[in-house]
Amino acid sequence: MEHWHRHLGVYGICLNEEKLLVIRKGGGPYFGRYDLPGGTVEANESLVGAMHREFLEETGLSNRNYRKFGC
């Protein structure tokens, strides 16, 4: 039997007064680079749930107003 690994990530765009929120990566292959807040969807986690969790983990902010715009 073959086993497949699929990576599914979620990323958020946060704008405030025409400024884009980015985070500086602290580890992994993108260490020291800037990126949108987000990351990997965990097993049995919804896309929205993953976005809320990742956004809070990486920024300390909770995202109350959001729209899904792509999958």
Side-chain angles (χ1 to χ4, degrees):
M1 176 190 284
E2 288 186 59
H3 292 279
W4 290 78
H5 172 77
R6 292 188 179 149
H7 174 79
L8 177 61
V10 294
Y11 296 90
I13 296 172
C14 178
L15 298 171
N16 185 17
E17 296 181 5
E18 298 185 16
K19 294 179 184 175
L20 176 66
L21 173 69
V22 294
I23 59 165
R24 190 168 187 182
K25 292 291 189 178
Y30 301 107
F31 176 80
R33 295 186 181 180
Y34 293 96
D35 198 3
L36 296 171
T40 304
V41 178
E42 295 179 358
N44 300 316
E45 186 176 39
S46 70
L47 294 175
V48 172
M51 186 68 257
H52 284 288
R53 178 185 52 75
E54 288 286 350
F55 208 88
L56 182 61
E57 287 175 3
E58 294 187 350
T59 68
L61 302 171
S62 62
N63 52 346
R64 294 188 189 123
N65 298 319
Y66 66 90
R67 287 185 292 165
K68 292 192 304 185
F69 65 89
C71 243

